[in-house]
């Protein structure tokens, strides 16, 4: 069990090293990447099967107990996200080989993709704030390189702003960490949560509140929340197609995941954070969907939709409580799958018809690709019986239950505008008759990576009941800070100094 | 005393960084980012209590952290953060060099304009 918790991190990093060793053979690199990410999927599923909705598993790295050591903790949410992350990398690698048929992506592509996977899994599993920072940096540095790898001037320009903004976010995160440590004396998430609860009960949670505000801003930048999302649409349409699909699926979601942990474990009962997030969530939804409405490039439209979807997630986090967090968990998984799927199809449109919608046309003759677009597009807009419907319903239901009718209204409007955007892409790229006849076919094998994800959306929509039950128990567990703390089995109170030691120190020359 | 000095220095570094980051030249942005990471590292360093005359080694058999000595954990954290910050900064410098070469300017407004035309 313990080995299972560490292996989603170790396996991709090992795979990255292996892939580097085979750098002269792109085919073997791709094979290594496929096997490694398949391994992560298997590990994720076995963790998920072992934990279910209620279980927790822990590994104390190096055998050092918390607070001196770092613990990796997996609950159902972590296990599910690890599985999905592995699946996204697997799909992206398969997509590049099968759908785009690009020959050589450069010998750094697969190692970086695997390093990114390792970082993402690390961020999903760690129970320590500083360790989370380190995984964020692993993710960022891999993503910097993936973004700038092809070296086109547009990519380099996008990378500069991406790197700078993320550097500032990391600085805010780090200074927040410093303040948390200075005040709480620990960086283990659940322990900080307990100390915060005690401090705010005694009326002096103020200095920790300040630290949490810094963490909140840092996570909001990484998640792409209003008003700090400008870096996202400025960069996500520039990298190669497989890379931007992975970015779209995974990167901002790590920020959202950190926000979930912040509101439920690190700062339980900090109502002001949730009040701020209510406003941020609604504005993020609206700004994202309105931004999408006035774009004309496929990947730019989809980038803005990432932002509006992040808005739903943040709104769900803001509502708080087991039901809302359960809805967020469901939404998160649905969103990663659907968004990656859309970016994969968007990559095909971009590749064969050019980036701007006015030039794209006639893709409807590729029936399978049309299905692979329509399923996630309708799911994103929340049409039943696809997963997006249950996901949106969950958030709206939780909002109505908490009497946050503003969120309900904004969520419904955003859903409608999302449908508008998706129809816009569909009419322009698929429905409009082509100027020239499409000759080559786009068969089952070339479409299979996208169809696979589309099938997952359908299955998740049809099995919404069991999935929702599972996410309900995960949502309840996440709020049980004590369970996470008891797992570490170490008292946080640092005992009084031992007098002999003081004497010992002073007697030294 | 020591902690106050370090805190003031950290504050001054972050303030200078904030000023530089509002600039228009790429070089200013990079310098701002560099100062920001230094300021933040100092702040984290200061978060573990600073005692100039104690060695952070616990005596044999101690079950808890003795006080009166500097907490070694933030120092370990800062070491990690310095390495990460250094790597990211080097990468940023390389990127900026490429941008500057291709745009023939290090004014971000001009660079952005060229990006829109491309």
């Amino acid at each position: 069990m313990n080995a299972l918790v560490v292996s989603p991190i170790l396996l991709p990093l090992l795979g990255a090293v292996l892939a580097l060793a085979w750098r002269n053979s792109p085919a073997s690199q791709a094979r290594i990447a496929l096997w490694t990410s398949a391994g992560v999927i298997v590990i994720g599923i076995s963790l998920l099967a072992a934990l279910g909705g209620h279980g927790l598993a822990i590994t104390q790295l190096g055998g050092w107990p918390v607070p001196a050591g770092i613990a990796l903790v997996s609950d159902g949410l972590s296990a599910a996200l690890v599985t999905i992350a592995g699946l996204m990398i697997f799909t992206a690698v398969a997509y590049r080989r099968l759908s785009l048929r690009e020959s050589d992506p450069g010998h750094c592509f697969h190692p970086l993709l695997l390093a990114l996977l390792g970082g993402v899994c690390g961020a999903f599993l760690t129970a320590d704030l500083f360790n989370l920072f380190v995984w964020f940096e692993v993710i960022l540095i891999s993503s910097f390189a993936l973004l700038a790898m092809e070296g086109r001037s547009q990519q380099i320009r996008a990378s500069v702003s991406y790197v700078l903004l993320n550097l500032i976010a990391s600085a805010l995160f780090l200074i927040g960490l410093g303040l948390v440590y200075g005040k709480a004396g620990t960086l283990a998430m659940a322990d900080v949560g307990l100390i915060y609860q005690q401090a705010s009960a005694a009326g002096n949670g103020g200095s920790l509140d300040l630290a949490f505000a810094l963490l909140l801003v840092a996570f909001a930048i990484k998640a792409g929340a209003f008003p700090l999302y400008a870096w996202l649409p400025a960069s996500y349409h520039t990298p190669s197609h497989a890379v931007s699909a992975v970015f779209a699926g995974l990167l901002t979601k790590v920020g959202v995941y950190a926000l979930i942990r912040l509101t439920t474990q690190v700062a339980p009962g900090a109502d002001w954070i949730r009040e701020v997030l209510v406003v941020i969530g609604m504005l993020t939804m609206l700004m994202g969907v309105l931004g999408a409405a006035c774009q004309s490039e496929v990947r730019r439209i989809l980038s803005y939709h990432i932002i509006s979807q992040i808005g739903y997630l943040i709104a769900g986090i803001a509502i708080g409580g087991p039901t809302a967090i359960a809805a967020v968990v469901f939404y998160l998984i649905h969103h990663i799958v659907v968004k990656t799927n859309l970016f994969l199809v968007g990559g095909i449109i971009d590749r064969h018809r050019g980036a701007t919608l006015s030039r794209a046309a006639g893709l409807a003759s590729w029936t399978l690709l049309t299905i692979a677009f329509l399923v996630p597009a309708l799911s994103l807009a929340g049409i039943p019986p696809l997963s997006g419907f249950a996901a949106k319903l969950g958030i709206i239901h939780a909002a109505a239950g908490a009497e946050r009718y503003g969120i309900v209204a904004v969520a419904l409007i955003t859903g409608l505008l999302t449908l508008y955007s998706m129809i816009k892409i569909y009419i322009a790229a698929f429905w409009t008759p082509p100027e020239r006849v499409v000759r080559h076919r786009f068969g089952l094998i070339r479409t299979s990576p996208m169809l696979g994800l589309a099938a997952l959306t359908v299955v998740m929509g049809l099995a919404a009941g069991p999935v929702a039950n599972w996410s309900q128990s995960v949502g309840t567990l996440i709020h049980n800070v004590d369970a996470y703390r008891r797992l570490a089995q170490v008292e946080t109170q640092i005992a009084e100094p031992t007098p002999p030691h003081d004497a010992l120190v002073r007697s030294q020359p | 005393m020591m902690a106050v000095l370090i805190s003031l220095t950290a504050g001054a570094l972050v303030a200078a960084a904030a000023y530089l980051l509002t600039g228009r030249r790429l070089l200013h942005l990079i310098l701002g980012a560099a100062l920001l990471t230094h300021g933040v590292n100092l702040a984290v360093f200061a978060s573990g209590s600073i005692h100039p005359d104690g060695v952070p080694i616990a005596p044999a058999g101690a079950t808890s952290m003795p006080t009166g000595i500097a907490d070694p954990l933030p120092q370990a954290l800062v070491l990690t953060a310095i390495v990460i910050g250094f790597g990211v900064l080097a990468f940023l410098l390389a990127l900026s060099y490429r941008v500057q070469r291709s745009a023939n300017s290090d004014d971000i407004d001009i660079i952005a304009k060229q990006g829109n035309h491309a």
Side-chain angles (χ1 to χ4, degrees):
Chain A
M1 196 64 172
N2 286 354
L4 270 188
V5 183
V6 203
S7 44
I9 302 170
L10 292 184
L11 188 62
L13 295 181
L14 194 70
V17 176
L18 268 182
L20 262 183
W22 264 272
R23 69 173 176 278
N24 292 325
S25 159
S28 341
Q29 283 193 317
R31 230 169 286 135
I32 293 170
L34 282 176
W35 280 109
T36 312
S37 44
V40 172
I41 299 172
V42 171
I43 296 165
I45 290 176
S46 27
L47 258 181
L48 202 54
L51 296 177
H54 303 284
L56 281 172
I58 187 171
T59 298
Q60 313 264 24
L61 291 182
W64 290 89
V66 173
I70 291 166
L72 299 176
V73 173
S74 175
D75 52 13
L77 175 61
S78 306
L81 289 177
V82 162
T83 314
I84 296 289
L87 183 62
M88 293 309 116
I89 299 290
F90 185 86
T91 313
V93 175
Y95 169 80
R96 215 195 54 76
R97 295 278 295 179
L98 297 177
S99 310
L100 295 178
R101 295 190 177 157
E102 288 168 343
S103 51
D104 184 8
H107 61 249
C108 284
F109 174 79
H110 290 108
L112 283 170
L113 215 51
L114 290 177
L116 183 77
L117 177 60
V120 169
C121 290
F124 288 150
L125 288 170
T126 186
D128 182 274
L129 278 172
F130 188 79
N131 200 226
L132 183 65
F133 169 79
V134 173
W135 292 122
F136 268 7
E137 296 302 309
V138 172
I139 296 168
L140 282 178
I141 290 169
S142 322
S143 68
F144 293 161
L146 282 170
L147 190 62
M149 203 171 48
E150 291 177 339
R152 283 187 278 121
S153 65
Q154 188 200 20
Q155 294 176 331
I156 303 278
R157 250 193 302 270
S159 307
V160 171
S161 49
Y162 179 78
V163 172
L164 255 177
L165 243 146
N166 276 301
L167 207 140
I168 294 171
S170 301
L172 290 174
F173 188 178
L174 193 56
I175 206 162
L177 280 181
L179 290 179
V180 168
Y181 188 80
K183 213 58 212 169
T186 174
L187 287 170
M189 293 184 189
D191 291 3
V192 174
L194 183 88
I195 290 171
Y196 177 70
Q197 274 175 331
Q198 289 168 348
S200 46
N204 51 11
S207 46
L208 273 175
D209 276 334
L210 180 67
F212 293 153
L214 287 165
L215 296 185
L216 181 65
V217 176
F219 295 159
I221 294 179
K222 306 221 183 246
F226 176 86
L228 304 163
Y229 60 74
W231 60 269
L232 194 156
S235 56
Y236 270 27
H237 64 285
T238 60
S240 64
H241 303 305
V243 171
S244 74
V246 169
F247 282 16
L250 294 179
L251 291 196
T252 46
K253 264 50 82 182
V254 180
V256 172
Y257 172 83
L259 278 175
I260 296 179
R261 294 290 183 211
L262 176 70
T263 51
T264 55
Q265 281 183 19
V266 182
D271 287 332
W272 65 269
I273 295 183
R274 298 220 307 276
E275 290 304 321
V276 173
L277 284 179
V278 167
V279 180
I280 291 178
M282 292 200 287
L283 286 172
T284 310
M285 278 192 255
L286 276 180
M287 290 299 165
V289 84
L290 291 178
C294 60
Q295 292 295 324
S296 58
E297 281 182 30
V298 178
R299 285 202 288 174
R300 280 189 196 247
I301 295 177
L302 294 176
S303 297
Y304 274 100
H305 277 295
I306 300 178
I307 298 168
S308 75
Q309 304 295 307
I310 294 292
Y312 279 97
L313 290 165
I314 291 180
I317 296 171
I319 298 161
T323 318
I325 294 296
V328 171
V329 169
F330 191 106
Y331 204 111
L332 199 56
I333 294 166
H334 142 77
H335 172 70
I336 294 176
V337 174
V338 163
K339 202 77 233 182
T340 308
N341 198 351
L342 282 172
F343 262 82
L344 293 178
V345 180
I348 301 285
I349 299 176
D350 193 43
R351 182 76 182 283
H352 290 271
R353 291 290 185 275
T356 41
L357 275 179
S358 53
R359 277 193 294 161
L363 288 175
S365 59
W366 290 345
T367 317
L368 288 174
L369 189 73
T370 312
I371 296 171
F373 172 77
L374 272 182
V375 169
L378 294 178
S379 180
L380 190 76
I383 307 291
L386 302 166
S387 62
F389 172 70
K392 280 199 165 64
L393 185 70
I395 299 273
I396 291 171
H397 179 73
E403 299 188 341
R404 302 264 193 197
Y405 296 112
I407 292 179
V408 176
V410 173
L412 290 173
I413 294 169
T414 307
L416 208 61
L417 288 172
T418 307
L419 190 58
Y420 158 73
S421 267
M422 292 302 125
I423 291 175
K424 188 166 90 179
I425 298 179
Y426 181 70
I427 289 179
F430 291 87
W431 198 260
T432 316
E435 285 163 15
R436 54 198 159 85
V437 181
V438 185
R439 265 197 214 97
H440 54 292
R441 285 167 37 83
F442 213 83
L444 183 63
I445 294 178
R446 293 195 80 174
T447 338
S448 58
M450 291 157 272
L451 284 178
L453 292 188
L456 192 58
T457 313
V458 176
V459 169
M460 201 175 151
L462 293 178
V467 180
N469 282 340
W470 166 82
S471 63
Q472 186 64 45
S473 48
V474 169
T476 314
L477 175 68
I478 287 176
H479 279 81
N480 188 354
V481 186
D482 254 4
Y484 290 83
R485 235 183 70 71
R486 252 184 284 120
L487 199 66
Q489 290 173 337
V490 173
E491 64 275 19
T492 38
Q493 260 77 30
I494 291 165
E496 292 304 304
T498 41
H501 171 61
D502 259 1
L504 186 84
V505 169
R506 287 210 190 87
S507 68
Q508 280 175 348
Chain B
M1 191 56 210
M2 188 91 151
V4 175
L5 262 180
I6 290 181
S7 313
L8 284 178
T9 316
L13 281 171
V14 173
Y19 173 73
L20 283 171
L21 282 171
T22 54
R24 273 177 37 173
R25 295 189 53 198
L26 260 182
L27 187 63
H28 287 182
L29 296 181
I30 294 168
L31 287 176
L35 288 186
L36 184 65
T37 46
H38 292 327
V40 167
N41 286 342
L42 265 184
V44 176
F45 179 66
S47 75
S49 52
I50 296 158
H51 295 277
D53 48 18
V55 185
I57 296 173
T63 51
S64 61
M65 192 104 81
T67 56
I69 59 167
D71 186 344
L73 190 71
Q75 302 180 5
L77 302 186
V78 168
L79 267 180
T80 316
I82 288 173
V83 174
I84 293 172
F86 184 74
V88 173
L89 203 66
F91 185 71
L92 187 60
L93 268 172
L95 278 182
S96 312
Y97 174 70
R98 285 287 297 272
V99 170
Q100 205 266 340
R101 283 271 302 261
S102 78
N104 240 333
S105 159
D106 87 331
D107 185 312
I108 48 170
D109 284 351
I110 295 174
I111 295 169
K113 236 172 251 158
Q114 287 181 349
N116 290 339
H117 291 308

